[in-house]
Amino acid sequence: MRKNIRRIALLAAAASLLAVSCATGDEDSAASTSPLLTEVPAGVSLAVAANTAKVALTTSGELSKLPFTVSSWPAVQAGPDVIQAFRGGSVDVATNAGIPPIHAHATGLDAKIVGVKVRTTPLYKLATAPGTTINGLGDLRGKKIGFSPGQAQGLIVLRTLKTAGIRTDEVQLIDLSSTKFLTALQAKEIDVDPLAEPSLTKYLDKYRSDGATAIATPAVDALSVLWAPTSVLRDESKAAAVAEFVKFWARGEVWAWEHPEEWIDAYYVKDQSVSAADGKRILATAEKPYFPQNWDEAITWEQETIELVTDAGFFGNSFPAAELFDRRFEKIAFDAVPAPYRTKGQQ
C-alpha cells in the first residue's frame, strides 16, 4: 500500500512539474523579494478558502472592514482539494495545516506560506470503528488505518506510529481523503483514523453505543498556516490584499478566543451543527492562539515533517523547508494581534 501511494504521488509530481515548467526561477525569486505594497489598490478581489475566518469575521462585524473584495469563500478544506483549487485558479488564499504545502511542493505546485499560527497540544484523537478493540497505541499493529499522506491526519498517523515504535509495514495504511474517513469508519472498512473536533464529537455521539471510542495520541500538528500560490503573490495588488487578510485572519482567531459564547453559537452550533453543550466542551480543550514573530521554529517543524514523510517513502526527496515560506509576511500576524497572543503558551 505504501509503495502504491508513493507511486501515485511521484507520478502526480512528474505530471505537475511538466505543467508548471514555464515558471522561471527569476519569477519565483521576485515573488519573495519584492516589497509589499502598503495599501491595497482599488478593485482587488480574492477567493478565500478559510471557513473559520469567515465565521469569525462575520460574527465580529469585521468582515465589512476588509480593504478588498472577497469574490467567494469556496468550501474546500482538505489539503488535496485546496491544491487542486489553487491549480484551477478558483482559490487565491487558504488555511490548512503544515503538510499540504509540502504535498504541493512534491507535486510541482509553487505556493508559499504567508501566515503561521502555532499550537503545542494534540488536536487529533484516534477514532476507532464500532466493534474494534483498540485500547492504546500498542494495539495499532496490524490494524487498518485511514491515511491521507497530503493532509494533517496523515502526519498524525506517521508521528503516532513513530512514537509507538511501530513501523509503517506493521500496519495497513488505507489511502483515503479525510473527507472519506467517517464513512470508512462507519462501514468498518478501516479500524481507526485521526479525527479532530467537531467531527470527533459528531462521530462518537452516533457510534459510541456501538463500541466506537477515541484513543489519545501525543502527536501534535503544530502549525496552522495561511498559504497562497506564488502566481497570486507575484501580483503586487493581490499580494497586498493577502497581507491584509493575514491581519484579519489573526485578529479573527483572537476574537474567537476572547468571545467563547458567541463563537460557540456562531461556529459550533450554527455552522458545524453540534449542540451548545458539546461546543462548550470542545472549546474547553482548545488552545490559545499564538502567532510567532520569527518563523525559524516553524521552518524547523516543517523540515522535520519533510524528513518524516520522505523517510516513510512519500513525496519523493527531501528539500529545504524554507522554500515553502514567503518571509515578507513573517511579522504581519504578530504585529496584528495584542501582546498576549505573541507569546507561546501564555494564558
Side-chain angles (χ1 to χ4, degrees):
M1 177 60 67
R2 185 180 71 175
K3 291 182 179 178
N4 288 338
I5 298 173
R6 183 182 183 186
R7 188 177 298 115
I8 291 169
L10 291 176
L11 287 172
S16 300
L17 284 168
L18 287 173
V20 300
S21 60
C22 60
T24 68
D26 289 343
E27 288 174 328
D28 293 344
S29 175
S32 61
T33 60
S34 300
L36 295 169
L37 299 179
T38 56
E39 294 185 1
V40 181
V44 178
S45 66
L46 294 177
V48 181
N51 184 55
T52 54
K54 176 186 177 183
V55 174
L57 296 176
T58 300
T59 311
S60 66
E62 292 295 301
L63 187 61
S64 62
K65 300 178 183 179
L66 285 171
F68 60 89
T69 300
V70 177
S71 59
S72 63
W73 295 89
V76 290
Q77 299 182 41
D81 295 336
V82 170
I83 291 171
Q84 189 65 23
F86 279 170
R87 289 190 189 285
S90 59
V91 169
D92 294 313
V93 62
T95 55
N96 279 115
I99 198 168
I102 297 171
H103 185 196
H105 184 281
T107 60
L109 174 67
D110 190 14
K112 304 295 182 186
I113 293 170
V114 297
V116 170
K117 184 182 76 169
V118 177
R119 67 177 297 115
T120 59
T121 57
L123 178 65
Y124 290 87
K125 289 188 177 180
L126 303 181
T128 67
T132 55
T133 304
I134 302 175
N135 299 312
L137 300 185
D139 295 331
L140 294 176
R141 278 189 178 85
K143 297 299 189 291
K144 294 180 290 184
I145 304 176
F147 183 75
S148 180
Q151 297 183 255
Q153 294 88 338
L155 175 61
I156 292 301
V157 169
L158 293 179
R159 288 187 178 272
T160 297
L161 294 176
K162 183 176 182 179
T163 298
I166 300 174
R167 301 189 309 273
T168 54
D169 61 5
E170 294 182 291
V171 298
Q172 298 179 60
L173 297 179
I174 308 300
D175 188 12
L176 293 170
S177 168
S178 64
T179 57
K180 304 293 180 60
F181 280 177
L182 285 175
T183 300
L185 270 179
Q186 294 161 10
K188 302 183 183 179
E189 295 171 354
I190 55 177
D191 299 311
V192 62
D193 68 50
L195 290 181
E197 296 292 5
S199 296
L200 180 61
T201 287
K202 292 180 180 179
Y203 173 71
L204 292 179
D205 282 350
K206 189 171 183 179
Y207 291 98
R208 185 182 283 109
S209 61
D210 296 323
T213 188
I215 306 300
T217 170
V220 177
D221 183 33
L223 302 184
S224 294
V225 303
L226 272 180
W227 62 312
T230 303
S231 58
V232 170
L233 301 178
R234 287 195 197 107
D235 182 324
E236 64 177 9
S237 296
K238 285 200 169 189
V242 170
E244 285 299 313
F245 186 71
V246 171
K247 300 175 187 178
F248 280 80
W249 165 69
R251 290 196 290 256
E253 294 284 329
V254 169
W255 179 89
W257 178 261
E258 293 184 344
H259 298 81
E261 296 300 327
E262 294 95 325
W263 182 241
I264 288 168
D265 180 63
Y267 180 68
Y268 289 109
V269 176
K270 294 178 180 176
D271 190 78
Q272 294 295 305
S273 300
V274 302
S275 70
D278 280 339
K280 185 175 182 179
R281 179 187 55 77
I282 293 167
L283 198 60
T285 67
E287 184 172 314
K288 183 177 182 178
Y290 158 58
F291 302 91
Q293 180 179 24
N294 183 286
W295 286 352
D296 287 349
E297 288 187 10
I299 292 172
T300 297
W301 172 266
E302 285 289 85
Q303 193 67 59
E304 292 173 355
T305 301
I306 291 168
E307 304 307 325
L308 180 62
V309 296
T310 55
D311 287 349
F314 306 110
F315 301 160
N317 299 319
S318 178
F319 63 92
E323 294 180 8
L324 300 175
F325 293 77
D326 188 334
R327 299 191 81 155
R328 295 178 300 168
F329 296 81
E330 186 166 23
K331 296 182 181 180
I332 292 177
F334 173 87
D335 288 338
V337 299
Y341 302 93
R342 302 173 177 177
T343 305
K344 185 188 299 185
Q346 182 173 333
Q347 296 301 314

